[in-house]
Amino acid sequence: MSEPEAAPRQETAVTSDAIESPLLEVDGLRKEFGGVVAVDGATFSVAEGSLTGLIGPNGAGKSTTFNCITGIHEPTGGRVTFDGQDITGLAPYTLANRGLVRTFQIARELSEMTVLENVMLAPGGQVGESVLRSVTPGLRSEVIKAEAAVRDRAWETLEFFEIDHLAHENAGNLSGGQRKLLEMARVLMTDPEMILLDEPLAGVNPTLEEKLLERIHELRREQGLTFLLVEHDMDVIMNNCEHIIVMHQGSVLAEGDAETITSDERVLEAYLGGDV
Amino acid sequence: MSQRATASETVTLPDPAERLLAIRNLDAGYGDLQVLSDVHMDVADGEYVVIVGPNGAGKSTVMKSVFGLTTYMGGEVIFDETDISQRNPDEIIYEGISYVPQTGNVFGSLSVRENLEMGAYILDEVPEDRIEDVYDRFPILRERSEQSAGTLSGGQQQMLAMGRALMLDPDLLLLDEPSAGLAPDLVEDMFDRIDRINDDGTAILMVEQNAKEALRRCDRGYVLVQGQNRYEDDGTVLLNDEQVRQDFLGG
Amino acid sequence: MSTVDTIRGRLDALPDVGLVVGFIGAIWAVMLVLAIAVGGANWANLAAGFVGSVTVLIGGYAILALALNLQWGYTGLFNIGIAGFMAVGAYTTAILTAPTDPAAGAVPGLGLPLWVGLIGGMVMAAIVGGLAALPALRLKADYLAIVTVAFSEIIRLIVNWDGLAEVSLFGVPVGTGGATGISFKSANDVASTLINGVGQPLVTAAEGVGVSGPNLANLTYGILLLLVVAASYWVLARITDSPFGRVLKAIREDETVTQSLGKDTRLFKIKTFMIGCALMGLAGVLFRGQAGYISPQQFRPTITFYVFAALIIGGSGSNTGSIVGAATFSGLLFYLPARLGENISLGGTRAPGNIVDAVAGFASLDPAPLLAYIISNVSTLRFVLIGVVLIYIIQNQPDGLLGHRNEPATSVSLDRPQSGSGGETDE
Amino acid sequence: STEQTGGDGGDGGDGGMTGTGTESGGDSGPESPDVLMVVGYPQSGVQLFKDFYADYGDDAADILVTDGLQDGELPSNVGNDMSNVRGTAPSAAGPGVDTFTEQFTSEFDYDEAGVFTSQAYDATAVQILANLLAGENDGQAVRDHMRVVANPGGDTYGPSELPAAVEAAAAGENIQYEGASSAVDFDENGDMASAQYQVFGFQDGGGVDTLNTVDFSAGDDIPQPEPNGSGSDSGRTIRFGVLMPETGDLGPLGRPIRDGAILPALQLEGEVDFEFDYQVGDTQTQAQAGIDAANSLVSAGYPSITGAASSETSIQVARNVLIDNSVVGCSPASTSPTITDLEDNDYMFRTPPSDALQGQVLAQVGVDELGAETASTLYVNNSYGQALQEAFAGAFEAEGGTIVNQVGFEQQQSSYTSEINSAMNQ
Amino acid sequence: MGIAEFARDGRVVVGERPGAAVVAAVGGFLLLDLVAKLAGTTVFFVGTKLLGGSLTVSSLLSMVVDGLLVGLAVGLAGIGLSMTYSILDFANFAHGDTVTVGAFLGWVAAYITAGLGTGAPIAELFMLNSGRQLSTVSTLAPVLLGLVVAGVGSIGIVLLIDRLTYRPMRDTDNISLLIASIGVALALRYLIAFVFGTETSGVASGGLRVTVFSMISVTDNEITLLVVSVLLMLGVHLLLQRTKLGKAMRAMADNEDLARVTGIPTERVIRLTWILGGGLAGIGGYLLVLESGTISFNFGWILLLLIFAAVIVGGIGSIYGAMAGGILIGLVDSLALIWLPSGLTRASAFLVLIVVLLLRPSGIFGGVSTA
Ligand SMILES: Nc1ncnc2c1ncn2[C@@H]1O[C@H](COP(=O)(O)OP(=O)(O)OP(=O)(O)O)[C@@H](O)[C@H]1O
Ligand SMILES: Nc1ncnc2c1ncn2[C@@H]1O[C@H](COP(=O)(O)OP(=O)(O)OP(=O)(O)O)[C@@H](O)[C@H]1O
Ligand SMILES: CC(C)C[C@H](N)C(=O)O
Ligand SMILES: [Mg+2]
Ligand SMILES: [Mg+2]
């Protein structure tokens, strides 16, 4: 579990070819649904502090890989290691508490709660999540103190994403793009080390898209977060990711930096379809 | 015509006689919430029209309103000279409009083939040849024809949805972000297919976030902001308009 | 800063407390008016009887509605096995406290003091609730509903089964009494003891105006129940106005998201089930077992649906709404019509035995038989009324009488902190 | 061998179906009992007998029933003439029975005075008289004068002289009420000192036939306390409650009994210089609903109550309402032996006899009239059913018979097939 | 940590196979016990009885027949619940009371026609307490007429309720609809009580008894139940198979908005759903009364949980599942007596419900597509 005010991690230099300090390692991951093999021995790793792209044709198994890593599905085979520890098949909340969180392909806001509540929910291990503490007269003052701190941080986060004017709005009333922002804000409040983003930009207006990418880079710079990004927009991938993994039919077809990928015959054939 | 603002002086509106779809002063929303106010749009026979705009602008709402899926609050939707603004969706389909929604556009628990059959629900018989046509267009669907649609990948579902809408050979096809979630080669492919469908004489009204590509290919485009018309013009004109580029196309 | 928050939190609760008190007061007033209208010289005693009974009902339903609100209103757990959990609590208390040498024909118990029984009942209900929750929580809402209602019927059938009516547990004879039920130390005795002891002057005064001892005891019991309601409210408000409550709301909205944010939702759900079921168990004894007697008949699924009606009428998701709903349901929809029916008479017209005869009179332009029939069947018709009100509310006012109350689940004010005095300095 | 299994259809550990030592098995199966004794209430009875006849037809066994099933409508509701059924029930054998029957059938729309209606009349009459003699609507005072007006000592009055009895009691006289059901003499437990039972069968066109009667006469001393009440001035209002199952399992019997209970007030109204104020509460044949209804009567200030009918309800109402609130209960129908020993501060009386006797009568009918050697019992799972079937089983074995199975059942189920199968040893 | 492991183990243990293994083991033991009982042997183990006892084949058969008959009627009633559950997406708690309403309407009609000309007072006929017992052989026409009225009448009632209650709520979530149905259930049940009283009336009793294979004896009324319900089930099967209705219903259950834009007349499908479901519920209720012989205002409500069990065991949305589930639950309810005391047999049916929901939430027949 991460400390509430974790010191910013030192910047890790990431080179495009050699991954020195992998934060997430996926080894021979496999997932079958009945007869369909969705993920077929995918192996790759993600360097600490990097923004890594995960691309591939539709049905390549990207979302399924995400689901297996984050505990939504139990993998049929293979191993997932995070921060040096085996996390294969652990439940989502355990992973989140260890600093590995995700956003959803379709934003899932908690619509009957306010934006602020959505964000205040996220921090892990809040004292007030214990019934005893929140009820017992003496102990409750502790809860109240912690709550004030969480609230203040929540406001800051909302300001960072420029949705603080919506703080008391029900999350269900936000527009599509605002929901994506909220989703990012919420995930950040968990103090993650690594965020998996499943098509965060799909359907996002280009202007907003730029803003979101800017935020992602800012978070990497300032807090040393690691990102794994699924995205179909090649402009985004090529211009932002220092490392790119290409999946095809459930396994990794190629990886490397933008140049390596765009010059890879197989990738061109399987995914990029001729020109880019 | 009462356009609030236009990007250029040369607006080429279709001749009233050719207008297949005409949306006039439309107000619509959900329950008590009004989303669209005073929206105008036209699609001529065989025309290819694109709507772009920021998230939450009401683009999908326009589409749904044409199909009678929103709360009607005023104005008119005229298709083929009949007012369909307050009709039920299951009647509108008989007029010759098909619609591919942005989300939830396949029947998850039905098989791929059954989804296509449902696309031809209003016909008396299942048109086997059309199903074959769709399979030819999207071969992966033939491969998965017995799999339940809910377990297809995002992109595969998008293809199925499109295939379903094509089962009736409509006069007007409403497409809500057909390229969202598609791999780049498929995006190209999808746009090509849409072109082809349009070439075959089907008019198209499409919402796209992939605005540049869409505007390049279409006949005309609308920019919708906060539930109101902002700009309208030929696709290429909009594409090259500095203001539009700045505000909506991301530089 | 935190003291300011605390004080503000306390002040925020005041209007709600006022609302609840005012509402219950209004229902009392209605009962008083009714008693004066029909009671003649006996009105004071009648009023005490009406008010006492209605208070007990309100108290009982309020505890149940509060418990359900925690499970359903907050967490979205659709528990319709309330009756079963009430039975577990009530039977545990009964078995713990029933005398070891009971009257002829009754089953013996362990003869423990009442407070041991009450705690035991709550603990047992919590344990059974937790066990029931373990597997059931994987299910979506309506499946959970069906599992819980089936579970409650299984519990009822088991306590009803005469195989357990009287058994020997490690050589000590105990049992459920089967269909016959079980008599035990009733909490009512506390009320009686209270008024016969310190309350003696009160009794004398009450008897002066014609209020009988039993009615006074009943009234006292009702007020004691309201104190339990107040305590439950206080505890639940603290639970829900906290990060714990926030997680519950999040689970209600989207469990997968909540899990992905690092919350072990299963644990939260189990805790919620246990707390709620403990309260239901308590209500099982205090409410259904007021007289010191319980039987399986009292724990049929219908009671569960009444609690739901109460909560929905008041407004689920709101603790205040739970109490207001319980008062409306039990006072105005459940109790009042029955008393009206009993006390209205149509001169000499005896109610016809069946509806055909009643309508036949109407055909010959004499509405009296039909009216008499209706009046003599109000206690049936009130359930029709309850059903219709329920439909009306869910159609037109789905958030209940109190309307939608978005009570943020937190223990502090959520306003933007004044810039400068930010949170970082607070550590 | 006797196995008390109570509703146990299968082996359930030591169930009846298992039999003992029948290692041979095969398809011959265990024997059905000669007679099936059924204790229950009419509503369940309809379903139970329908299921019985549907599976076993008319001549699989003779059936014995008790007072709870003495409902003349039963055969037509079951759809069978029920000619293989014999029953026993406390009968109306008081000196005033004819007057009562006459008044009852003319006041209400009944063809005959049903079971326990005369007991109900007597219960109310005694309460009214005790109330008048005591001079106040107070439970304790009424209790203290119940025996004064009912037991030997003073002038004798019957149902036909009820107005005169009222005047006498109001004048503070020690009187003796002789009722419609019996002489109405309460022993120190509040039970009847003597009893008469009838043996009945169901008639073809509805109603029941009394085949013969069995008497038990008074053995004990009949206590007779002295009056110490003031008597009543004219114009007083006499208040009493009636607590009856108007609905539920006993509904068909409960409604006539209720009418019997209010008949004295109807008869006296206008005839005497007193007002009568009564209220009826419905127990729905459920103890809890009974408690609620009783509480409601007590709240409204009635010092005494005629009721309840079902023993289960009477016991629970006495324990949980009457005794605590010092209100007199006088049941016209509860026959369970448990009531005799109730620690009731003398607040619970009843006008029918205890089933300790009925069990014997039943056993006699079974052995002597039906020539049964084996019997099974099928009883409603409450204080009434359990005790009466035990009394029967004891008496039947004492007469040399063998009890095969004892099976309990719950009220108002949608099917009794499994219970019947267990009892019939199938 | 500890919790994590617990959760993971839990997922494995509660997973499909171990649960199924336990169920299979219990089932095997019960079967062995049954065989021993039929053979009349008792097996002792360390002094306590392990299994066995005695049971005749004929009583086993009669239990099977009883279970089958009740199961058929429950299955018939269950079809409607299953359909509304999947298409309108809510658990209809008023379904049991629809069963009651249908039964009352049908029996009143049957009684009045049977009583015409016999001089029985209309009040008694209407209140179902003239004391007459109908049977298929002795009063064929009234019984058949009642059957039709039960179906048609409950369709009318159900459509009216839909119009007043559910239709204004089409867009609301399924829990609101469920709650509304609780309101409907209360109102319906007590309206019946208001009109017909709370008494149980005996209305039917077999007029003819047939013994098959010299072991199973059934009445004409039971045969009627068997024949009518099998015919109706076949009819429903054909209807859904031969028309697009079946698929349209599934499509609607899946995604109503999409169904509408595809041209499926959703309101009409909903209406047809109610018509089929309501009609079958009413007829199911009518036939149950024909078999058990008695009717009372709350019998459908009491039956509801059993119907739910049937539908869920069969897999919600699956018509064949509802039929098979009904029969299974009917058999469990009846055969449980072999192993359990009679006070607990009903509990065993509920236990089966819970076990199925936990092990196979999609139902035993779930996933097998309908029509
Ligand atoms: N629950 C399931 N049952 C059966 N097959 C499944 C299931 N989930 C996914 N699949 C199959 O697994 C393959 C991979 O799907 P996945 O969603 O991971 O693709 P993806 O790479 O995310 O594609 P996209 O970019 O289109 O979202 C697809 O062929 C899909 O049909
Ligand atoms: N079913 C609904 N109920 C209530 N409000 C809705 C509903 N659907 C959309 N809205 C609201 O209507 C507004 C317009 O939504 P719409 O889906 O038309 O936007 P859009 O232009 O299609 O955006 P995007 O590009 O994100 O798809 C938004 O504010 C949205 O929150
Ligand atoms: C009304 C009577 C049938 C009551 C029955 N004798 C009993 O004691 O329960
Ligand atoms: Mg995907
Ligand atoms: Mg949209």
Side-chain angles (χ1 to χ4, degrees), chain E residues 119-166:
Chain E
I122 191 84
E124 282 188 2
L125 291 174
F126 183 83
M127 297 299 294
L128 299 178
N129 60 8
S130 76
R132 181 124 181 247
Q133 305 297 316
L134 306 189
S135 80
T136 324
V137 285
S138 62
T139 47
L140 181 65
V143 167
L144 290 186
L145 182 92
L147 189 76
V148 173
V149 172
V152 174
S154 50
I155 288 173
I157 300 270
V158 142
L159 288 179
L160 184 73
I161 290 170
D162 181 54
R163 182 74 199 75
L164 295 178
T165 309
Y166 305 123

XYZ file of all heavy atoms in Angstrom, chain E residues 119-166:
344
model
N -81.030 -24.203 -9.610
C -81.710 -23.478 -8.550
C -80.796 -23.013 -7.431
O -81.258 -22.459 -6.443
N -79.521 -23.241 -7.576
C -78.605 -22.768 -6.541
C -78.570 -21.246 -6.575
O -78.546 -20.648 -7.644
C -77.204 -23.327 -6.798
N -78.594 -20.601 -5.404
C -78.580 -19.141 -5.390
C -77.296 -18.600 -6.021
O -76.207 -19.145 -5.803
C -78.664 -18.780 -3.909
C -78.449 -20.032 -3.172
C -78.658 -21.181 -4.086
N -77.455 -17.531 -6.785
C -76.317 -16.983 -7.523
C -75.199 -16.560 -6.583
O -74.017 -16.699 -6.894
C -76.798 -15.802 -8.414
C -75.697 -15.393 -9.388
C -77.233 -14.631 -7.606
C -75.688 -16.232 -10.623
N -75.559 -16.060 -5.398
C -74.536 -15.622 -4.450
C -73.623 -16.780 -4.084
O -72.407 -16.651 -4.063
C -75.178 -15.031 -3.208
N -74.236 -17.918 -3.829
C -73.415 -19.073 -3.454
C -72.530 -19.522 -4.609
O -71.387 -19.905 -4.418
C -74.299 -20.233 -3.010
C -74.825 -20.067 -1.605
C -75.541 -21.315 -1.110
O -75.574 -22.308 -1.869
O -76.054 -21.279 0.009
N -73.098 -19.483 -5.800
C -72.305 -19.875 -6.964
C -71.128 -18.934 -7.136
O -69.985 -19.346 -7.304
C -73.172 -19.870 -8.225
C -74.243 -20.946 -8.299
C -75.114 -20.734 -9.522
C -73.610 -22.326 -8.322
N -71.447 -17.636 -7.055
C -70.394 -16.653 -7.258
C -69.316 -16.769 -6.191
O -68.132 -16.659 -6.469
C -70.997 -15.247 -7.256
C -69.989 -14.179 -7.519
C -69.625 -13.856 -8.821
C -69.397 -13.490 -6.470
C -68.695 -12.877 -9.068
C -68.459 -12.511 -6.713
C -68.111 -12.201 -8.022
N -69.747 -16.981 -4.980
C -68.776 -17.060 -3.891
C -68.098 -18.428 -3.828
O -67.328 -18.710 -2.922
C -69.452 -16.778 -2.547
C -70.041 -15.395 -2.418
S -68.818 -14.089 -2.582
C -67.848 -14.386 -1.110
N -68.401 -19.285 -4.771
C -67.799 -20.610 -4.859
C -68.069 -21.455 -3.625
O -67.244 -22.291 -3.262
C -66.275 -20.502 -5.084
C -65.814 -19.788 -6.357
C -64.303 -19.715 -6.398
C -66.329 -20.507 -7.584
N -69.199 -21.219 -2.961
C -69.451 -22.100 -1.828
C -70.813 -22.774 -1.877
O -71.441 -23.002 -0.870
C -69.229 -21.386 -0.499
C -70.133 -20.192 -0.352
O -71.026 -19.996 -1.179
N -69.920 -19.393 0.664
N -71.237 -23.133 -3.090
C -72.498 -23.865 -3.166
C -72.298 -25.307 -2.747
O -73.244 -26.069 -2.644
C -73.051 -23.820 -4.593
O -72.321 -24.708 -5.391
N -71.029 -25.667 -2.545
C -70.780 -27.014 -2.070
C -70.713 -28.037 -3.176
O -70.505 -29.213 -2.934
N -70.886 -27.591 -4.398
C -70.839 -28.529 -5.509
C -69.374 -28.744 -5.898
O -68.567 -27.836 -5.863
C -71.603 -27.892 -6.665
C -71.683 -28.730 -7.883
C -73.116 -28.934 -8.296
N -73.096 -29.792 -9.478
C -73.460 -29.376 -10.674
N -73.915 -28.156 -10.846
N -73.403 -30.208 -11.692
N -69.038 -29.952 -6.267
C -67.679 -30.240 -6.693
C -67.681 -30.618 -8.164
O -68.389 -31.532 -8.565
C -67.083 -31.384 -5.869
C -67.138 -31.144 -4.376
C -66.314 -29.950 -3.954
O -65.199 -29.773 -4.406
N -66.873 -29.124 -3.084
N -66.920 -29.883 -8.952
C -66.921 -30.141 -10.382
C -65.815 -31.132 -10.745
O -64.803 -31.219 -10.076
C -66.704 -28.846 -11.155
C -67.655 -27.696 -10.828
C -67.455 -26.565 -11.811
C -69.093 -28.161 -10.829
N -66.072 -31.838 -11.833
C -65.025 -32.713 -12.340
C -65.155 -32.781 -13.847
O -66.210 -32.488 -14.405
C -65.129 -34.106 -11.741
O -66.122 -34.827 -12.419
N -64.093 -33.160 -14.506
C -64.104 -33.137 -15.956
C -65.159 -34.077 -16.530
O -65.870 -33.721 -17.465
C -62.720 -33.524 -16.498
O -61.746 -32.997 -15.628
C -62.516 -32.964 -17.875
N -65.262 -35.258 -15.956
C -66.237 -36.176 -16.554
C -67.667 -35.762 -16.281
O -68.520 -35.839 -17.162
C -66.039 -37.640 -16.089
C -64.857 -38.252 -16.772
C -65.948 -37.720 -14.601
N -67.947 -35.305 -15.075
C -69.341 -35.032 -14.769
C -69.793 -33.674 -15.283
O -70.953 -33.490 -15.607
C -69.582 -35.140 -13.256
O -68.798 -34.178 -12.594
N -68.907 -32.707 -15.355
C -69.307 -31.379 -15.828
C -68.282 -30.883 -16.824
O -67.577 -29.909 -16.580
C -69.395 -30.397 -14.644
O -68.209 -30.548 -13.857
C -70.600 -30.632 -13.788
N -68.227 -31.549 -17.937
C -67.187 -31.225 -18.925
C -67.292 -29.799 -19.444
O -66.324 -29.046 -19.425
C -67.250 -32.218 -20.094
C -66.186 -31.969 -21.174
C -64.799 -32.209 -20.606
C -66.421 -32.854 -22.396
N -68.502 -29.432 -19.890
C -68.643 -28.105 -20.503
C -68.255 -26.970 -19.551
O -67.446 -26.120 -19.902
C -70.045 -27.924 -21.036
N -68.823 -26.965 -18.342
C -68.421 -25.885 -17.429
C -66.922 -25.871 -17.152
O -66.313 -24.802 -17.098
C -69.203 -26.185 -16.152
C -70.363 -26.981 -16.591
C -69.902 -27.781 -17.762
N -66.339 -27.039 -17.004
C -64.910 -27.074 -16.697
C -64.112 -26.481 -17.861
O -63.189 -25.688 -17.665
C -64.447 -28.512 -16.382
C -62.925 -28.606 -16.383
C -64.986 -28.940 -15.031
N -64.496 -26.834 -19.081
C -63.770 -26.285 -20.227
C -64.018 -24.794 -20.371
O -63.097 -24.020 -20.642
C -64.175 -27.021 -21.515
C -63.674 -28.466 -21.597
C -63.988 -29.057 -22.955
C -62.177 -28.540 -21.321
N -65.257 -24.398 -20.166
C -65.561 -22.976 -20.251
C -64.730 -22.200 -19.224
O -64.154 -21.152 -19.515
C -67.053 -22.729 -19.999
C -67.396 -21.262 -20.130
C -67.832 -20.946 -21.540
C -68.438 -20.830 -19.126
N -64.672 -22.752 -18.015
C -63.889 -22.107 -16.969
C -62.439 -21.953 -17.387
O -61.807 -20.926 -17.153
N -61.935 -22.984 -18.035
C -60.548 -22.955 -18.501
C -60.324 -21.769 -19.431
O -59.358 -21.009 -19.288
C -60.251 -24.253 -19.236
C -58.805 -24.520 -19.617
C -58.030 -24.960 -18.394
C -58.725 -25.578 -20.698
N -61.260 -21.609 -20.352
C -61.135 -20.511 -21.312
C -61.244 -19.165 -20.593
O -60.438 -18.262 -20.808
C -62.218 -20.637 -22.405
C -62.200 -19.416 -23.306
C -62.001 -21.899 -23.203
N -62.233 -19.065 -19.719
C -62.415 -17.802 -19.004
C -61.177 -17.489 -18.156
O -60.748 -16.347 -18.078
C -63.687 -17.847 -18.135
C -63.767 -16.624 -17.242
C -64.902 -17.947 -19.025
N -60.608 -18.511 -17.540
C -59.400 -18.287 -16.733
C -58.315 -17.657 -17.596
O -57.662 -16.691 -17.192
C -58.908 -19.595 -16.135
N -58.140 -18.214 -18.781
C -57.105 -17.672 -19.663
C -57.436 -16.271 -20.119
O -56.652 -15.330 -19.940
N -58.624 -16.112 -20.671
C -59.007 -14.817 -21.233
C -59.081 -13.753 -20.127
O -58.582 -12.639 -20.283
C -60.358 -14.938 -21.962
C -60.835 -13.572 -22.422
C -60.215 -15.886 -23.144
N -59.687 -14.126 -19.035
C -59.846 -13.169 -17.935
C -58.503 -12.685 -17.421
O -58.293 -11.483 -17.226
N -57.585 -13.602 -17.224
C -56.318 -13.141 -16.672
C -55.553 -12.311 -17.705
O -54.818 -11.402 -17.332
C -55.483 -14.307 -16.147
O -55.400 -15.307 -17.120
N -55.761 -12.616 -18.969
C -55.136 -11.771 -19.994
C -55.661 -10.334 -19.861
O -54.888 -9.373 -19.836
C -55.425 -12.314 -21.407
C -54.635 -13.590 -21.634
C -55.070 -11.269 -22.461
C -54.964 -14.301 -22.926
N -56.976 -10.235 -19.737
C -57.566 -8.901 -19.596
C -56.998 -8.163 -18.401
O -56.571 -7.006 -18.497
N -56.967 -8.837 -17.271
C -56.477 -8.207 -16.048
C -55.023 -7.783 -16.210
O -54.623 -6.664 -15.862
C -56.584 -9.186 -14.860
C -58.034 -9.600 -14.641
C -55.958 -8.609 -13.621
C -58.801 -8.742 -13.711
N -54.250 -8.666 -16.768
C -52.828 -8.406 -16.888
C -52.571 -7.230 -17.838
O -51.719 -6.376 -17.590
C -52.161 -9.717 -17.355
C -51.068 -9.459 -18.318
C -51.663 -10.505 -16.174
N -53.352 -7.165 -18.912
C -53.175 -6.034 -19.830
C -53.569 -4.727 -19.160
O -52.918 -3.696 -19.332
C -54.000 -6.251 -21.105
C -53.462 -7.319 -22.054
C -54.369 -7.478 -23.261
C -52.048 -6.970 -22.508
N -54.620 -4.800 -18.379
C -55.057 -3.599 -17.661
C -53.965 -3.144 -16.684
O -53.631 -1.959 -16.601
C -56.357 -3.910 -16.906
C -56.965 -2.718 -16.187
C -57.568 -1.766 -17.203
C -58.031 -3.173 -15.190
N -53.422 -4.099 -15.978
C -52.373 -3.748 -15.021
C -51.170 -3.166 -15.743
O -50.574 -2.181 -15.305
C -51.949 -4.992 -14.207
C -53.078 -5.393 -13.270
C -50.684 -4.719 -13.418
C -52.854 -6.720 -12.609
N -50.829 -3.747 -16.869
C -49.691 -3.231 -17.618
C -49.949 -1.784 -18.025
O -49.101 -0.915 -17.888
C -49.440 -4.083 -18.860
C -48.231 -3.583 -19.643
O -47.162 -3.454 -19.028
O -48.367 -3.308 -20.846
N -51.158 -1.562 -18.501
C -51.515 -0.219 -18.950
C -51.393 0.785 -17.806
O -50.854 1.868 -17.963
C -52.948 -0.259 -19.492
C -53.466 1.034 -20.040
C -52.820 1.340 -21.387
N -52.947 2.753 -21.717
C -52.228 3.710 -21.157
N -51.320 3.422 -20.221
N -52.386 4.970 -21.510
N -51.903 0.396 -16.634
C -51.960 1.341 -15.518
C -50.634 1.454 -14.780
O -50.281 2.512 -14.262
C -53.034 0.910 -14.521
C -54.468 0.942 -15.031
C -55.417 0.439 -13.963
C -54.834 2.352 -15.454
N -49.934 0.360 -14.699
C -48.782 0.357 -13.805
C -47.448 0.373 -14.534
O -46.625 1.260 -14.324
C -48.812 -0.886 -12.907
O -50.084 -0.980 -12.309
C -47.754 -0.784 -11.834
N -47.241 -0.606 -15.375
C -45.882 -0.759 -15.904
C -45.624 0.128 -17.112
O -44.518 0.579 -17.317
C -45.624 -2.220 -16.263
C -45.875 -3.159 -15.115
C -46.777 -4.208 -15.221
C -45.210 -2.984 -13.900
C -47.006 -5.065 -14.165
C -45.446 -3.831 -12.840
C -46.343 -4.881 -12.978
O -46.576 -5.710 -11.925
